[in-house]
Amino acid sequence: MTARFDGKVALVTGGGSGIGRATALAFAREGAIVMVAGREPSDLRDTVALIEKEGGVADAVPADVTHGMDVIRLIKTTVERHGRIDVAFNNAGITGEPTPLAEICEAVWGDVLSTNLTGVWLLMKHEIAAMKENGGGVIINTAANIGIHGRVPGFGAFAASKAALSTLTRTAAREYIREGIRINAISPGSVDTDQSLRPGETTEERDARVKAETPIGRVAKTEEIADTVLWLASEESSFVVGHDLVLDGGATA
């Protein structure tokens, strides 16, 4: 049986941990050549090692998506080494420390927006150009359910950046679908990663909080998010365009 991504090249940002690492592993298991990118070279090396241990093919480029030249180098290096980009999962993001809106400093606001919104715009800008040269491709952006409901105090910058990213995804999807580039987003809720922990909160305390707050009663596994990304990247979702798929166990229902 042919794997869904045999011979395809998949780029994953934020690939050094969490959802990014789980998704990179999932793409590799399905036959893709995976390029992982992120700020921490050691984390990227660990992801590549995990993929190679399973017999997959992976590569890594350290990159900060808030720096335009880093993004250009990332896309150029991926194309030079592997010929093209078939799928891009733009997953790098930060939450920022929980702070009431009127107390957020400009530097923190700028960091969150630069990473979660401007960084994804920069990635799409150069991914789209590369994909057009190759006749098309698929892009999936990581937004968040807080961008839809905005009900978590202290995360105004994060919520604003993710709401804007969801809208940017829809705009880009309409602009480029006729050129063979299919663009969607995912909006996870609480996932079993460090980002889901509030300051000073233990994993057990988080699990109890999420059980009380969320209809499904638990956090998502990173593998569950990865499975959804692969579905959106595959031909199985070929008619899905400009959609923001919410993965939050009913929290926004």
Side-chain angles (χ1 to χ4, degrees):
M1 185 176 180
T2 303
R4 285 183 292 177
F5 298 98
D6 269 348
K8 300 289 187 181
V9 178
L11 169 64
V12 178
T13 67
S17 63
I19 293 170
R21 175 174 287 175
T23 305
L25 282 158
F27 272 124
R29 289 170 187 143
E30 290 273 7
I33 299 165
V34 183
M35 175 68 86
V36 290
R39 292 176 175 175
E40 296 297 331
S42 62
D43 292 341
L44 300 178
R45 287 194 295 269
D46 288 346
T47 299
V48 170
L50 288 168
I51 290 171
E52 292 178 341
K53 184 177 180 180
E54 294 186 0
V57 180
D59 201 355
V61 174
D64 183 335
V65 300
T66 68
H67 298 160
M69 292 308 297
D70 273 21
V71 173
I72 291 170
R73 179 173 51 83
L74 170 61
I75 304 305
K76 182 179 179 181
T77 301
T78 304
V79 173
E80 286 177 348
R81 291 182 185 175
H82 305 294
R84 63 192 185 279
I85 300 172
D86 297 295
V87 179
F89 179 38
N90 298 326
N91 173 67
I94 60 174
T95 57
E97 290 294 320
T99 309
L101 189 70
E103 298 172 26
I104 300 173
C105 70
E106 288 185 37
V108 170
W109 178 271
D111 286 345
V112 173
L113 270 291
S114 291
T115 303
N116 298 350
L117 180 60
T118 305
V120 177
W121 165 69
L122 282 167
L123 285 161
M124 284 201 293
K125 174 182 176 69
H126 298 289
E127 289 161 354
I128 287 166
M131 288 176 176
K132 286 169 71 174
E133 291 290 322
N134 192 44
V138 179
I139 296 173
I140 302 105
N141 299 323
T142 299
N145 71 339
I146 193 175
I148 298 167
H149 62 65
R151 292 197 299 261
V152 184
F155 290 92
F158 182 65
S161 69
K162 294 300 188 177
L165 178 55
S166 182
T167 300
L168 182 66
T169 297
R170 290 192 292 273
T171 299
R174 292 185 66 93
E175 289 180 350
Y176 291 100
I177 188 59
R178 292 293 182 94
E179 297 187 62
I181 301 171
R182 192 163 58 85
I183 305 174
N184 290 288
I186 58 168
S187 277
S190 295
V191 183
D192 190 15
T193 69
D194 290 344
Q195 275 195 338
S196 69
L197 297 170
R198 304 280 173 83
E201 189 176 49
T202 66
T203 300
E204 291 74 20
E205 289 168 340
R206 178 206 63 191
D207 290 348
R209 171 175 55 80
V210 172
K211 184 176 182 179
E213 293 174 348
T214 309
I216 202 170
R218 64 173 177 85
V219 296
K221 301 173 185 176
T222 55
E223 292 81 7
E224 291 176 301
I225 309 302
D227 287 344
T228 303
V229 174
L230 264 65
W231 178 74
L232 283 171
S234 75
E235 285 301 309
E236 296 164 15
S237 65
S238 57
F239 206 63
V240 180
V241 178
H243 184 60
D244 186 351
L245 202 165
V246 178
L247 304 162
D248 68 357
T252 56

